[in-house]
Structure formats: structure tokens, C-alpha cells
Amino acid sequence: MQAIVLAAGQSSRFWPLNKSHKSLVKIMGKPLIWYTIDGLKEAGIKKVIIVQGPKRDIEERLRGCDFGIEIEYVIQSEPKGMGNALLSARKLIKGSFLLLNSYHFEAGEISKEALKKTPLKEKSIEMILFGAKTDRPWDYGIFGFNKINNFLYVTSITEKPEKGRELSEYKIVGVYILPLNFFEYLGRVSEGNYSFEEAIGLYMTENNNSKPNKPNLTIANILSNETPTLKYPWDLFAINKLLMNKYLGDRVKKGENVKIFENAIIKGPCYIGDNCTIGNNSLIREYVNLENDCMIGANAEITRSIFQEDVHIHSGYFGDSVFSKGCRIGAGTITANVRIDRGSINSIVKGERINTGLKSLGVMVGENTKIGINCSLMPGKLIGSNCLIGPKTTVSENIEDNTEFYTEIKGVKKNIK
């Protein structure tokens, strides 16, 4: 079976970490898409087709990686949705295929298990849609189905249903096994952001029969294990945890030329990349990911955080936060990662207030941002790339890219470059 990996699109809800495609965020020295391809190989997939954007950043980042399987790249010239991305790979597909988003490193194994239980040629099943339980159905595509002989036969899919009008509590997780003739249905629906979902609906309408003696051609395979999603920047923490549990257990993995000074304490699972420095009396604990060339100053504490390359911090506390490459953070800066009332933390994404569902969440910071000494960064705030945050500033709102933001005695001053 061939696999199509979708790695195009603007990842707009992933701001401020979307300077490159979101699947290129590094965990333990490798981009997320590396783990996806490696998982497909382990599951026996021999050919992978990667759909990338016109920047060709996926191809550039994976150049030189020898996965031992055939990889081809195609370009989605404009971000016109999942259906359009799939159509760009049409000429390379020879039969039924696995379709997945680029961060589903577990997709190869779960699809392999699904095919063992439900061979496509048996029981008239032609399409498998993978799902998982969610407590936020209004944020996802949701299944409607009939249960017949222990199989969930899909009857409909609703994209982001209204609260209280959900068909079920099961969301689509971005992994599919589709027949070759699915492309015919894609070609018949109007082009748009939801053409893929419309094509699935059209396919089910024309092919499915929900009578017990002739069940639907499309089933839902509901996953019992935790399945990652990568819609918002804070979703990285769940993926980071899953990957570290799989590859590290409770160990600390340390790269080359790492300097660790007196009285520093490091508790696993934790990854420290090449050429990192850990200062005196620092505490690094639990699911911390430090990529190459990071510098952690004396008396700093970091927990459950992800640092990309070349991030420098000094004394302070950094919890449940992400800092993109090239960030500089002054001494005494604190990330507040818990609300004072210990409630769920909200964040603002594209002007919409989102309940993250997390009770511990710090800040997400874009590339090359500089933060002065003694700053206070409030929970769930997003700070863009190339920003300058002045000393003693409290960040209690999102900060757009290329912004100077600082507090003076007379109040707050904000300049756009």
C-alpha cells in the first residue's frame, strides 16, 4: 500500500510557530515528519508521497535522510484545502492508499492493525476512516454511524457541528484508508476548504446501503490509544510526551559537546542536543526538549517545555512553554503557567477565544524574539517572531510579529516596526 503524507498548508492556527510547516518542529533532534515516515516504514509501507507547499521546506529539511523506502514529493501550489492537496498526488497513486497528516507518527502501525482485523476486500468494506473520542466535538469533523455486527458503519460526517447537535462523540483524526476511485468523487465536488469532506459524503451517499444484510462500504476504526492532533501550538506538548515515552522512557539523552556545570539537576525523560550548556544550580525536569546550541543559565528551572535551536535563557522559571529558534530571554523572566484560580487556560487564536483544556500552559514564542530581564509572561499568551519585549514588562495579551512591547513608568508603549 502507498501512503500520502499531507505537509502543505499555512498552519495559520499554529501561529506563532508556523514560520515553517508545523511538521518541521523538532523533537529529540528530528522534525515531526521524520517520525511519521519512520513509522510508515516500520509498518511495511514501501512508497511515501509527500505533498508540500511551494517553499519545498519539507524536501529541504529531509534531504540526506535515508529511510530505506521510496519517497516522492509533489507540490500544492496554493493552500486550497485537503482535497486539492490530495488531487496533486493523483498521478502517482496505483491502488488503495493510506492518507494521513504529517504529524501522525503512529499512523502506519494503527493502519496495519486495522487491516489485520478488517481486510478491505472482505465484508464489502472499501474505506476506513480512523477516529477517536473527544470532549470537544464542535472543533472537529464528527462521525455519524450505525453499529452492525461489531463494526461502526459511517453514515455521515459533520464538520464542526454546533454544540448540542453532535452526531456522536467521535472525531476524525486525520488518518484514512481510501480506494483509488475516491479521486472520481473529489473531481465532482466544488473546490474549497472542505472539498475532501464533501467528497467522502458524496461517496457514502452513492455507494452505501445501511441495511443489515448489505452494510455500508465505509467503516470507522475507533482508536483506544491516545492519538495526537496538531491544530494549535500547545498540541505539541502531547506529541512531545508520546515521543519521549516511546523513545526515552524515563532516561535523559544527551548529545555531543554538552557542558553541564556544578549542581545542575536533570530529571528524565529529557533530551539535550549537541553543544548545549546547562548552568550551575539549574533544574531541568520532565519532558524538556532542548535542541542544539541552547544555553541555560545558572539558577534556571525548566519543566515540560520545548526549545528549538539556539535558544538562550538565564535565571528564571519556564514551564509548559515553547521557544522557537534564536530566542533570547533575560535573567529573572518568569513564565506563569497556571491560572491563579487553577482553572483551564484560554488562549486567543485568529481572534477567537479558545479553551485549551489545559490547566498548565505557559507561552508560545516565535523565532528570534528577545525578551528583557524580569519580565512576566502570562499563561496561554502567544508572542510572534522578531519581537522585542522590554525589561520588567508583563505580557498579558498576544504580541504580533515584528513588535516592540514594553512598559514605562507612565504606562504601556507599543511600536510596530
Side-chain angles (χ1 to χ4, degrees):
M1 181 175 288
Q2 297 170 292
I4 300 178
V5 177
L6 301 179
Q10 295 177 318
S11 308
S12 59
R13 288 173 294 189
F14 202 63
W15 181 85
L17 310 180
N18 62 347
K19 281 291 186 180
S20 299
H21 191 267
K22 58 187 176 183
S23 67
L24 294 178
V25 172
K26 283 188 174 182
I27 301 294
M28 296 185 292
K30 297 179 174 66
L32 292 177
I33 194 171
W34 186 95
Y35 295 100
T36 299
I37 298 171
D38 191 57
L40 293 174
K41 176 189 174 182
E42 289 180 2
I45 299 292
K46 302 297 183 183
K47 183 174 182 179
V48 174
I49 300 160
I50 299 176
V51 182
Q52 62 180 337
K55 291 170 59 177
R56 305 174 76 100
D57 49 356
I58 305 294
E59 186 176 0
E60 176 68 24
R61 192 71 64 87
L62 293 179
R63 184 174 292 124
C65 295
D66 183 11
F67 293 98
I69 58 176
E70 184 180 354
I71 298 178
E72 291 193 62
Y73 297 91
V74 297
I75 304 294
Q76 184 187 22
S77 57
E78 297 180 54
K80 294 183 178 180
M82 189 171 171
N84 178 266
L86 180 55
L87 283 171
S88 66
R90 170 65 184 90
K91 294 181 179 179
L92 300 177
I93 301 300
K94 308 302 181 185
S96 295
F97 60 96
L98 174 65
L99 176 68
L100 64 151
N101 289 318
S102 53
Y103 52 85
H104 276 299
F105 59 88
E106 83 299 9
E109 188 59 33
I110 63 175
S111 61
K112 181 180 178 181
E113 291 301 313
L115 289 173
K116 284 181 181 178
K117 298 176 183 177
T118 314
L120 291 178
K121 293 182 180 180
E122 296 182 11
K123 305 179 185 298
S124 299
I125 293 169
E126 295 184 356
M127 181 185 294
I128 301 178
L129 311 181
F130 292 83
K133 187 176 289 188
T134 178
D135 57 0
R136 297 180 57 85
W138 48 88
D139 280 343
Y140 303 97
I142 299 297
F143 294 115
F145 51 78
N146 293 324
K147 187 172 183 179
I148 305 172
N149 298 326
N150 295 320
F151 287 99
L152 301 180
Y153 292 95
V154 181
T155 57
S156 60
I157 296 174
T158 303
E159 187 67 27
K160 296 182 179 179
E162 295 181 17
K163 290 185 179 182
R165 303 189 66 178
E166 306 89 359
L167 296 171
S168 73
E169 57 183 345
Y170 297 106
K171 67 177 181 179
I172 299 173
V173 299
V175 182
Y176 313 81
I177 295 176
L178 303 174
L180 181 61
N181 69 343
F182 180 73
F183 285 100
E184 299 175 15
Y185 296 87
L186 262 180
R188 290 169 53 191
V189 300
S190 58
E191 188 175 73
N193 288 333
Y194 297 115
S195 61
F196 178 79
E197 291 80 3
E198 291 174 7
I200 287 181
L202 180 62
Y203 182 93
M204 290 190 296
T205 298
E206 295 191 359
N207 291 281
N208 289 354
N209 189 319
S210 58
K211 295 179 181 179
N213 62 348
K214 189 180 179 183
N216 298 19
L217 300 170
T218 303
I219 69 166
N221 188 283
I222 303 300
L223 308 175
S224 56
N225 295 329
E226 187 176 1
T227 303
T229 186
L230 196 58
K231 178 184 293 187
Y232 302 111
W234 53 83
D235 292 331
L236 278 172
F237 298 119
I239 293 178
N240 180 59
K241 184 176 182 180
L242 287 169
L243 285 171
M244 286 194 172
N245 286 342
K246 178 179 179 180
Y247 289 95
L248 297 182
D250 60 357
R251 297 180 294 111
V252 174
K253 183 175 181 180
K254 179 171 67 71
E256 298 180 353
N257 302 315
V258 173
K259 297 179 181 179
I260 301 177
F261 286 83
E262 292 83 0
N263 300 319
I265 298 174
I266 304 172
K267 297 182 177 181
C270 178
Y271 174 84
I272 302 174
D274 297 342
N275 308 311
C276 289
T277 300
I278 311 297
N280 303 69
N281 306 308
S282 291
L283 173 59
I284 299 175
R285 59 183 177 88
E286 298 172 352
Y287 301 106
V288 171
N289 183 87
L290 304 179
E291 292 298 326
N292 294 347
D293 304 305
C294 287
M295 186 181 76
I296 309 304
N299 304 305
E301 180 179 356
I302 310 173
T303 184
R304 300 181 302 274
S305 292
I306 299 169
F307 288 24
Q308 296 298 282
E309 300 97 327
D310 192 34
V311 174
H312 293 195
I313 68 170
H314 297 277
S315 61
Y317 175 76
F318 305 89
D320 304 285
S321 296
V322 179
F323 291 90
S324 299
K325 66 180 180 180
C327 286
R328 299 289 186 268
I329 298 94
T333 289
I334 300 292
T335 62
N337 61 334
V338 178
R339 280 176 39 156
I340 195 168
D341 63 359
R342 300 306 189 260
S344 294
I345 295 170
N346 297 313
S347 189
I348 304 296
V349 178
K350 300 178 68 173
E352 180 182 358
R353 186 181 181 89
I354 303 293
N355 184 343
T356 67
L358 301 174
K359 293 190 176 182
S360 296
L361 178 63
V363 295
M364 316 286 116
V365 184
E367 296 181 4
N368 302 312
T369 282
K370 297 176 175 61
I371 300 175
I373 63 169
N374 297 322
C375 290
S376 300
L377 313 178
M378 295 296 104
K381 304 312 172 192
L382 311 179
I383 302 174
S385 296
N386 305 310
C387 291
L388 179 62
I389 310 298
K392 297 184 179 180
T393 296
T394 297
V395 177
S396 55
E397 60 182 278
N398 289 354
I399 308 297
E400 297 299 321
D401 295 337
N402 307 309
T403 298
E404 292 182 2
F405 186 75
Y406 54 94
T407 302
E408 294 182 321
I409 295 174
K410 296 181 179 178
V412 175
K413 184 176 181 181
K414 185 174 181 180
N415 294 326
I416 307 296
K417 291 184 180 179

